Amino acid sequence: MLRGLSIKNFALIEQLQVSFDSGLITITGETGAGKSLLLGALGLLLGKRADLSSVKDSSAKCFIEGVFDIAKYDLQPFFEEEELDYEEETIIRREILPSGKSRAFINDTPVTLQSLSGLGEKLIDIHSQHQTLEVTSSDFQFKVLDALAGADREIESYKRGLRLLKQKEKEVKVLIESQEEFNKEYDYNTFLLKELEEGKLKPGELPELEERYEQLNNIEEIQEYLSQSVSLVNAEEIGLSDQLNAIKANLSKIETYSGTLKELSDRIQSIYIELDDVNTSLQDEMEKLEADPEQLEELSQRLQLIHNLQVKHAVSTIEELIVIKDELHEKVSKTESLSDDIDKLKKEITTIQSQLDEVAVKIHDKRNKALPKLTNELEDILKALGMPNASFNASLELQEKYLSNGKESLEFLFSANKGGSFGELKKVASGGELSRIMIAIKSILSRYAQLPTIIFDEIDTGVSGEVAHKMADLMMDMSKNLQVFSITHLPQIAANGQSHYKVFKEDINDATVTQLKLLNEEERIKEIAEMIGGKDISDSALTHARSLLFN
């Protein structure tokens, strides 16, 4: 609900500050007095783009601020999503700087126009004869029907299911695309994997293979030099063993004469022991050596296999080949498992579709039950609004396709004349007829849903007499559930307002400015009398005005 509006330096409005109550608020004034300026200022407040040309004094800042009571609107989720401080009394501010730059604030937090517009559409709903095409859209018609059908729980369940269905369908599409891509490489990857698996590669085996190959490939040379080494150690008299033994005997005879000699004797003893151990190892190595042409060939083939794999995969170690093998295994396995994953997802999709179908039927049943009620109420209201022959022919038909709010199409046909043919609203209804249909729909909606503040901008144009009274009564009934503004030229509607404001122009300091004034009782009588009979107010006009106000 709009509690207060402040405007400064906007078009012909120099400075204006006004408070509003709940209920029906009527705004009157002569043509050109500036009623459209109020709507223009509200439009900026609700997210429309700013234009420096609308600023009264381009050297000063333009300022528009609205105070809203949003306690009943359940807007906490919106504020959380936008990361804004939630206040039951929320202040929206719009500024246009002399530079032309525009700024917007919600509860003193800077916001984008997108955020401002998102909140604005939840706070104020503006209707004029030129803005009634919404009533011809299928989405709006479903919104009205669903308000009467009471299918909110089912529709929310359906929407959750539809989101899940779209998610699963997207996952299947991605998997199928991956499968097609993997299938192109599957045969080649399988061949490469088989080749690597047959290689039975082991980490760290290459150095061992190369060493064993070198031994077998050079066995004769190794045997020759080992034999010569053993001979050098063991030859009589000239062998290393005998010579060291002789040195050891000589030193043992003199080692008692000094510590140094003793140390030398011990060192020779150690060398002798080490040489004896080396001699044993040389002989052992010689005994182990044996030519093995078959093993040599096997080693050669094994090394060649590893080398070929390294060249093919452009790597230098067995460990890298093993990594490639594991990656290929994962690709091949994934390709082979994709079919299972796709089948599993398709089964999930079938289950979700089945559940959605069940919910869609429940929604359809509730809508079908509410549809006659909606058309009957509309026809009754329109008869009171001067359209006695208005008639609707509405039907629902279940579709195969999953739509955003169910699985059905709504055909909402209209005829304004008795015996006339039915047609789509946007094709057969005039602007005045659409205006009355819209106010009738909003009247019905106000009884079943919490609506934002509604502003009717001269939506009563072309209406008079008893129909004007009926329209005034309709607005009055709506105002019991929500705040209603009516910018009107009809005295019947003006008199029904619980608050009555007048827009007028006056000259101040050689400048024309637009003002907005809350009328007291006597001022209302005079204003309504002028609306009835013109500037020259007659006694009968005053009497009529009083009867409208007090009856």
Side-chain angles (χ1 to χ4, degrees), residues 41-48 68 92 94 113 116-121 123-126 455:
L42 276 173
L44 285 176
L45 198 62
L46 301 177
K48 288 189 176 179
F68 294 85
I92 299 177
R94 190 76 184 275
L113 285 188
L116 188 62
S117 178
L119 178 60
E121 66 185 19
L123 299 179
I124 292 184
D125 188 4
I126 299 177
I455 299 178

Side-chain angles (χ1 to χ4, degrees), residues 42 56 78 86 110 119 127 155 163 180 193 198 200 202 218 221 271 286 293 299 387 415 445 473 483 488 527 531-532:
L42 276 173
K56 181 176 177 60
F78 175 87
Y86 174 80
L119 178 60
H127 291 280
I155 291 172
R163 286 194 295 269
E180 291 172 353
L193 176 62
E198 287 177 348
K200 297 181 180 178
K202 299 176 182 177
N218 298 280
E221 183 180 0
I271 293 171
M286 282 184 62
L299 287 170
M387 296 173 64
S415 174
L445 272 176
D473 291 341
Q483 187 184 46
T488 182
E527 174 69 8
M531 295 174 74
I532 294 170

Side-chain angles (χ1 to χ4, degrees), residues 61-113:
K61 180 170 67 173
C62 170
F63 173 92
I64 303 168
E65 182 176 274
V67 180
F68 294 85
D69 182 351
I70 63 172
K72 296 181 180 179
Y73 290 171
D74 191 26
L75 291 177
Q76 291 93 332
F78 175 87
F79 278 76
E80 289 174 6
E81 185 176 338
E82 297 290 331
E83 297 182 352
L84 296 169
D85 293 331
Y86 174 80
E87 300 287 347
E88 290 190 351
E89 185 176 88
T90 283
I91 300 173
I92 299 177
R93 187 170 77 255
R94 190 76 184 275
E95 298 176 355
I96 306 174
L97 305 179
S99 63
K101 184 178 179 181
S102 168
R103 298 188 298 187
F105 302 85
I106 297 176
N107 291 331
D108 284 329
T109 299
V111 295
T112 64
L113 285 188

